[in-house]
Amino acid sequence: MKIVILGAGVIGTASAYYLAKAGHEVTVIERQPAAGLETSYANAGEVSPGYSAPWAGPGVPMKAIKWLMMQHSPLAIRPSFDPTMWRWVTQMLMNCTSKRYEINKGRMLRMAEYSRDVLQQLRSDTGISYDERTQGTLQLFRNQQQLDGAEADIAILKRYDVPYEKLDKAGCLKVEPALVNVQEKFVGALRLPGDETGDCFKFTQSLSRFAQELGVQFKYGVTIQRLVKSGDTISSVITSEGEIKADCFVLALGSYSPILLKELGIKIPVYPIKGYSITVPITDAQKAPESTVMDETYKVAITRLGDRIRVGGTAEITGYNLDLRADRRATLEHSVTDLFPGGGDVSKAEFWTGLRPMTPDGTPVIGPTPYRNLYLNTGHGTLGWTMACGSGQFIADVVSGKRPAISTEGLFMDRYGSVNSPIFIHKELA
């Protein structure tokens, strides 16, 4: 088939690669001058299936109130009269139960674990390089309450056979020796040895080149204006360079997906949750992290990327605003200098922000829509890099009419109850 993919972030690029491998003729439309220049550009650098969990969980509403009162809060809300914002927040709060948390985390783990396996196969097949490391994630707890609270997650990790290690201080120092300088600041950690790290932008750029070798055409600097429908199908996409027709369309526009879908009468609860990062040049490798350390108190990920430290975090609910706020930078600088003093020069850091396409339950929306030839690959939230390869292979299988390697349960948009009959054509894939 002739397939058009809308968006060349890590999700769209991975979709293009795997669809081309499946034998399709693929064109990617992207408004930026190259692949991976928006949300994929400077994320936290984690490929973290073990750490995959919905933000909506038991106790989160009370935690959110406490976070908002912290000096270096992991959460910021910029209230507005936008009904979409408040509807999304309400839906998220409805998922803050033990039952929903377990269901949602299970769905996320399924895709994230599969995606890591697909990524490993891609590395083996292509030799792709992106400052990758395979040394796991250390979820660092600064107090005993946080350490005790990890038991609920451990129970779910056991159920899905995800490897983990519960570490005391000495165990933490074995995997992250630089923490010896601040060992009075934490009590222990949960280590997820199956997690990986890497530069998502470097990966996306390299994968786009591999995709081009397979015949994928990337149209950069082209703005998508609207999709043209004809009955229960999409006939074309109107762009700044004219009309482009295809047999099939895959929407991978991240936080901007709902805007294009709204004109088609499709509603998905994907909302932009703003995140920030700083990329810090390493000045003393002995004082820098070896892999990823997740500072649980501030919800900040500190990741080694070659000769740099990527520090990412903050959940800011503020719509599509992309302003760089000094107070958010201060929180990131505080976390990295508090745990890894002397490891890098924060005064020379690159400051960045991006919009995470979040769903209220944390699970992405991947698969068919009520239009027979329109598919979605969006809503990955903070886990786009973690789930990219698996999502790309998954959507390639679904579009090609093949049974995916993992269950489709909970990944299609029918979990929101807003479906028409065409979606049930694909039920045999579940």
Side-chain angles (χ1 to χ4, degrees):
M1 291 185 291
K2 289 185 176 181
I3 298 176
V4 166
I5 296 175
L6 310 178
V10 69
I11 299 297
T13 302
S15 300
Y17 176 81
Y18 287 104
L19 281 163
K21 279 197 71 177
H24 300 291
E25 182 182 333
V26 181
T27 299
V28 183
I29 303 174
E30 169 59 47
R31 64 184 177 184
Q32 297 292 345
L37 285 176
E38 294 199 19
T39 304
S40 302
Y41 179 71
N43 62 25
E46 298 176 89
V47 179
S48 52
Y51 195 70
S52 298
W55 286 7
V60 165
M62 290 303 299
K63 289 179 182 177
I65 294 172
K66 294 178 181 178
W67 289 334
L68 290 171
M69 298 173 66
M70 291 170 55
Q71 178 185 0
H72 294 293
S73 172
L75 174 66
I77 301 176
R78 316 292 177 197
S80 74
F81 293 106
D82 178 11
T84 304
M85 172 192 291
W86 296 112
R87 184 163 52 248
W88 185 91
V89 170
T90 301
Q91 291 173 322
M92 179 183 173
L93 292 173
M94 292 172 63
N95 277 277
C96 290
T97 66
S98 296
K99 181 178 179 180
R100 293 305 310 170
Y101 181 82
E102 184 169 342
I103 291 172
N104 296 333
K105 185 176 176 73
R107 291 170 174 172
M108 296 169 74
L109 278 172
R110 185 198 330 144
M111 175 55 78
E113 289 278 306
Y114 170 61
S115 188
R116 186 199 53 219
D117 294 343
V118 176
L119 172 59
Q120 291 173 350
Q121 185 63 51
L122 177 69
R123 276 206 308 270
S124 176
D125 292 344
T126 66
I128 192 169
S129 179
Y130 46 92
D131 285 337
E132 70 278 4
R133 291 190 172 214
T134 56
Q135 295 167 251
T137 295
L138 194 72
Q139 187 179 0
L140 197 69
F141 303 118
R142 291 178 180 259
N143 58 60
Q144 191 62 40
Q145 183 180 5
Q146 293 173 344
L147 185 60
D148 294 341
E151 292 300 327
D153 274 337
I154 288 174
I156 299 174
L157 294 173
K158 287 180 178 178
R159 187 171 303 121
Y160 289 91
D161 296 320
V162 178
Y164 74 92
E165 299 168 3
K166 191 174 180 180
L167 303 180
D168 57 13
K169 284 189 179 185
C172 294
L173 298 181
K174 286 183 180 179
V175 294
E176 289 290 352
L179 291 174
V180 68
N181 300 311
V182 295
Q183 54 186 303
E184 75 283 356
K185 295 183 178 179
F186 62 91
V187 298
L190 178 64
R191 181 171 182 253
L192 302 158
D195 287 7
E196 303 180 2
T197 59
D199 188 319
C200 183
F201 173 65
K202 284 188 175 182
F203 173 86
T204 307
Q205 290 269 292
S206 295
L207 190 61
S208 69
R209 290 190 288 271
F210 284 120
Q212 286 173 318
E213 291 174 4
L214 292 174
V216 176
Q217 182 181 8
F218 285 82
K219 291 182 175 292
Y220 294 122
V222 178
T223 302
I224 298 162
Q225 296 174 352
R226 62 186 176 90
L227 290 167
V228 179
K229 60 183 178 180
S230 176
D232 63 355
T233 64
I234 301 299
S235 59
S236 64
V237 57
I238 305 300
T239 76
S240 57
E241 291 193 352
E243 184 178 23
I244 300 175
K245 295 184 177 182
D247 302 312
C248 179
F249 298 83
V250 176
L251 187 67
L253 291 175
S255 296
Y256 297 90
S257 299
I259 298 173
L260 201 64
L261 290 173
K262 185 177 181 180
E263 296 182 4
L264 300 176
I266 297 176
K267 294 182 179 180
I268 56 171
V270 171
Y271 191 78
I273 303 297
K274 190 176 180 181
Y276 295 83
S277 76
I278 54 174
T279 304
V280 184
I282 291 176
T283 53
D284 187 340
Q286 301 301 313
K287 296 179 180 179
E290 290 295 322
S291 186
T292 287
V293 173
M294 172 59 70
D295 186 346
E296 186 63 18
T297 297
Y298 302 108
K299 299 293 184 181
V300 169
I302 305 169
T303 301
R304 177 74 165 266
L305 296 177
D307 59 358
R308 302 159 295 149
I309 304 171
R310 175 69 52 73
V311 189
T314 299
E316 187 172 329
I317 303 176
T318 184
Y320 290 88
N321 178 284
L322 284 169
D323 293 343
L324 289 166
R325 294 181 58 92
D327 57 339
R328 298 296 93 201
R329 176 169 183 151
T331 295
L332 301 177
E333 289 186 358
H334 170 75
S335 183
V336 68
T337 56
D338 195 47
L339 293 177
F340 296 97
D345 186 351
V346 295
S347 69
K348 296 180 180 178
E350 178 187 2
F351 188 28
W352 172 88
T353 188
L355 301 176
R356 311 178 185 102
M358 296 289 294
T359 61
D361 58 11
T363 310
V365 187
I366 314 174
T369 71
Y371 293 89
R372 293 178 181 272
N373 64 338
L374 175 64
Y375 296 80
L376 305 181
N377 198 357
T378 187
H380 297 76
T382 59
L383 297 168
W385 180 200
T386 295
M387 297 183 177
C389 288
S391 296
Q393 180 64 73
F394 183 94
I395 198 67
D397 288 339
V398 172
V399 169
S400 302
K402 295 174 59 178
R403 183 184 299 275
I406 59 172
S407 169
T408 64
E409 187 279 321
L411 298 177
F412 290 176
M413 63 175 287
D414 62 343
R415 75 178 188 267
Y416 298 119
S418 54
V419 295
N420 294 323
S421 57
I423 206 164
F424 293 102
I425 294 170
H426 305 270
K427 278 300 181 180
E428 70 274 10
L429 299 175

